[in-house]
């Protein structure tokens, strides 16, 4: 449901207040007129009616003609049927606001045997009734005029109230996280806006410190992690020929090398996510190279045949991103299919996409919808739920499309759609997407 903004709420409150005030004034005016009517109009009619009754009782044939605005009825058994129904059912006495032929009358009735006298006064000739009608029209016009005035005043006041907020929003929108700021946000000496501005300043200070720590980590990790990983990989490559004759040692060295290569690719991906800027694009290379490398790494990591069936329909699209990023994505997708799906694993590289499908039991709809979120795991998973989340974040930064499918019975298929030449793209500010099964 749409909620009005600050300006709209201010306007509605002002109009509501104007309506309440005018309504209260109109009600008080009606009560005042009712009091005047009871004090002046009814006693006047009662006096006139008493005069006619007195003459009628003393000399029925000498009744004077009624004054302007009055009507007189003399009724007996023969003429009572000719009376309007609204008058025929009236009892003896004074009756106010009787409607007859669309007009409002004050009616007095007196009975004497089978005969009756009725005196009617047209409300249009009652000065108090005319005053009430005139004041009602004035009140309606005043309500309309007051509403327009209240709307204008409310718009003016809301502009005064919202202007500092808009200026604060404009200043905050120009702040770039991590860049040096000249000083606290200018609040125009407004105490209320100052509370918001100080909260912004404190939050931005914490955010700047967080950005500084992340950049320091990315800078230090690029030096401190890559060097030992390179040493491990070089050592494993040198040891492999020496242990080739011993299958057990060869398998262990192969797993060390695979773990180091996976760690190197994962480090590349995490550093990429930590950097606020885009990496320089390397020369394009075929996606098939990354797929073959990922299959080899998984086979070395398991120390056995993981039953991966690879079908390369073409060399696939060209990749112009750092090889470690692409390897991190494919490695995580492939490892997820092996560890949480089931053999055999079908890997299909087409000219525009990479599809990885397992033969496991599949996942339910709720898990499929959220499987790329952090810490989301399947029912039988023993992992931490981070691998697919890292894949999604890298794909979002690279503007690659990622889809997942499963019917909950026949395994799970994840498809990575790639443009003809997948390149590094400028890193936009990270967004936190909602629950979904594609990115």
């Amino acid at each position: 449901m749409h909620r009005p903004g600050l300006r709209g709420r201010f306007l509605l409150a002002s109009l509501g207040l104007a309506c309440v005030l005018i309504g209260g004034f109109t009600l008080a005016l009606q009560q005042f007129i009712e009091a005047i009517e009871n004090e002046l109009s009814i006693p006047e009619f009662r006096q006139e009616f008493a005069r006619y009754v007195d003459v009628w009782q003393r000399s029925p044939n000498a009744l004077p003609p009624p004054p302007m605005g009055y009507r007189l009825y003399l009724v007996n058994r023969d003429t009572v049927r000719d009376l309007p129904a609204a008058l025929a059912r009236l009892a003896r006495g004074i009756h106010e606001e009787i409607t007859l032929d669309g007009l409002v009358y004050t009616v007095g009735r007196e009975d004497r045997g089978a005969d009756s006298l009725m005196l009617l006064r047209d409300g249009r000739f009652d000065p108090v009734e005319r005053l009430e009608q005139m004041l009602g029209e004035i009140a309606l016009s005043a309500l309309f005029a007051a509403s327009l005035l209240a709307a204008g005043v409310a718009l003016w006041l809301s502009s005064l109230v919202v202007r500092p907020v808009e200026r604060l929003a404009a200043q905050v929108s120009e702040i770039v996280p991590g860049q040096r700021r000249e000083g606290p946000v200018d609040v125009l000496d407004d105490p209320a806006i100052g509370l918001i501005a100080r909260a912004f300043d404190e939050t931005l200070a914490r955010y700047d410190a967080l950005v500084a720590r992340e950049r320091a980590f990315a800078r230090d990790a690029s030096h401190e992690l890559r060097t030992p990983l390179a040493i491990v990989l070089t050592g494993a490559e040198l040891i492999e020929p020496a242990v080739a004759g011993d299958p057990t040692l060869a398998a262990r060295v192969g797993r060390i090398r695979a773990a180091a290569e996976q760690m190197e690719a994962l480090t590349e991906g995490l550093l990429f996510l930590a950097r606020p800027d885009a990496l320089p694009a390397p020369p394009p290379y075929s996606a098939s190279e990354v797929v073959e490398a990922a299959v080899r790494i998984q086979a070395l990591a398991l120390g056995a045949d993981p039953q991966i069936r690879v079908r390369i329909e073409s060399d696939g699209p060209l990749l112009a991103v750092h090889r470690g990023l692409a390897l991190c994505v494919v490695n995580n997708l492939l490892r997820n299919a092996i560890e949480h799906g089931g053999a055999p694993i079908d890997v299909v590289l087409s000219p525009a996409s990479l599809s990885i499908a397992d033969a496991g039991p599949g996942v339910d709809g709720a898990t499929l919808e959220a499987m790329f979120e952090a810490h989301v795991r399947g029912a039988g998973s023993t992992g931490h739920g981070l691998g697919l989340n890292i894949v999604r974040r890298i794909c979002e930064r690279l503007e690659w499309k990622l889809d997942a499918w499963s019917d909950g019975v026949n395994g799970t298929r994840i498809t990575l759609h790639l443009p003809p030449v997948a390149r590094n793209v400028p890193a936009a500010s990270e967004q936190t997407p909602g629950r979904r099964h594609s990115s």
Side-chain angles (χ1 to χ4, degrees):
M1 184 175 62
H2 176 70
R3 296 183 61 186
L6 179 60
R7 193 188 302 273
R9 292 197 297 270
F10 202 97
L11 180 60
L12 290 176
S14 300
L15 290 177
L17 178 61
C19 291
V20 169
L21 292 177
I22 296 297
F25 173 75
T26 303
L27 181 61
L29 191 62
Q30 287 181 341
Q31 296 298 322
F32 175 71
I33 292 176
E34 289 293 335
I36 293 179
E37 187 175 12
N38 292 331
E39 293 295 329
L40 299 178
S41 179
I42 297 301
E44 179 187 357
F45 176 80
R46 192 183 301 276
Q47 183 179 2
E48 186 72 17
F49 177 63
R51 185 172 70 87
Y52 268 85
V53 170
D54 181 65
V55 174
W56 178 58
Q57 290 178 343
R58 286 187 290 105
S59 179
N61 297 324
L63 286 171
M68 182 176 294
Y70 283 76
R71 294 169 63 181
L72 182 65
Y73 287 91
L74 292 176
V75 184
N76 54 38
R77 291 189 186 90
D78 298 328
T79 59
V80 68
R81 67 176 65 92
D82 298 329
L83 276 178
L87 297 178
R89 58 173 175 264
L90 293 179
R92 180 175 175 272
I94 304 295
H95 305 274
E96 301 178 41
E97 297 184 355
I98 302 300
T99 302
L100 186 65
D101 297 330
L103 300 176
V104 178
Y105 291 87
T106 301
V107 181
R109 175 171 178 167
E110 180 64 29
D111 298 328
R112 189 179 66 177
D115 298 330
S116 299
L117 179 143
M118 292 187 182
L119 184 66
L120 285 68
R121 184 177 65 182
D122 191 338
R124 294 175 298 175
F125 293 87
D126 183 357
V128 177
E129 290 291 341
R130 291 200 301 270
L131 177 62
E132 181 180 9
Q133 181 180 3
M134 181 179 64
L135 291 178
E137 294 173 355
I138 292 174
L140 183 61
S141 300
L143 176 61
F144 180 73
S147 298
L148 292 179
L149 180 62
V153 173
L155 287 174
W156 176 66
L157 291 177
S158 64
S159 297
L160 294 180
V161 172
V162 173
R163 191 177 302 151
V165 178
E166 292 175 341
R167 178 166 179 176
L168 176 63
Q171 293 182 26
V172 172
S173 64
E174 294 175 356
I175 295 175
V176 178
Q179 288 190 1
R180 181 179 179 83
R181 290 184 287 130
E182 296 299 328
V185 178
D186 181 16
V187 297
L188 303 175
D189 297 326
D190 190 309
I193 302 300
L195 295 175
I196 303 175
R198 283 190 291 273
F200 268 123
D201 282 328
E202 293 172 0
T203 302
L204 288 172
R206 293 194 296 270
Y207 192 72
D208 287 343
L210 176 62
V211 170
R213 289 196 300 270
E214 287 188 351
R215 290 185 176 178
F217 168 77
R219 182 183 62 250
D220 297 340
S222 64
H223 296 288
E224 302 298 331
L225 293 180
R226 287 171 174 166
T227 300
L229 285 174
I231 294 174
V232 172
L233 285 171
T234 302
E237 291 175 1
L238 293 175
I239 295 174
E240 278 180 338
V243 298
D246 189 331
T248 302
L249 290 177
R252 290 179 179 176
V253 172
R255 297 188 67 180
I256 291 173
R257 179 178 176 181
E261 288 183 327
Q262 290 186 81
M263 188 178 298
E264 184 180 46
L266 180 59
T267 300
E268 191 75 32
L270 294 176
L271 293 177
F272 171 73
L273 293 176
R275 289 174 60 93
D277 53 348
L279 295 171
Y285 56 91
S286 172
S288 61
E289 299 178 20
V290 177
V291 173
E292 293 168 354
V295 171
R296 176 183 57 79
I297 289 173
Q298 294 304 318
L300 289 174
L302 290 174
D305 181 12
Q307 300 185 47
I308 300 175
R309 301 185 300 201
V310 180
R311 187 170 82 250
I312 298 179
E313 298 177 353
S314 70
D315 287 340
L318 295 178
L319 302 180
V321 302
H322 278 258
R323 187 174 181 276
L325 289 179
L327 187 58
C328 179
V329 170
V330 179
N331 248 333
N332 276 283
L333 293 177
L334 197 54
R335 188 176 70 239
N336 181 79
I338 294 172
E339 295 180 355
H340 307 297
I345 310 297
D346 290 313
V347 178
V348 179
L349 179 63
S350 69
S353 66
L354 171 66
S355 173
I356 299 177
D358 63 63
V363 295
D364 58 74
T367 303
L368 183 70
E369 185 72 19
M371 67 187 303
F372 292 106
E373 304 295 333
H375 307 295
V376 173
R377 299 179 298 175
S381 174
T382 58
H384 297 285
L386 295 175
L388 291 182
N389 178 253
I390 293 173
V391 168
R392 176 186 62 78
R393 292 168 61 195
I394 293 175
C395 288
E396 284 184 346
R397 287 281 295 272
L398 296 176
E399 297 183 357
W400 295 356
K401 183 175 175 55
L402 195 63
D403 290 327
W405 173 90
S406 178
D407 60 1
V409 177
N410 300 310
T412 304
R413 182 178 66 250
I414 297 179
T415 303
L416 179 63
H417 301 276
L418 298 169
V421 179
R423 299 180 180 275
N424 289 341
V425 295
S429 58
E430 290 258 5
Q431 298 178 354
T432 303
R435 295 172 68 86
R436 59 184 184 178
H437 66 276
S438 66
S439 60

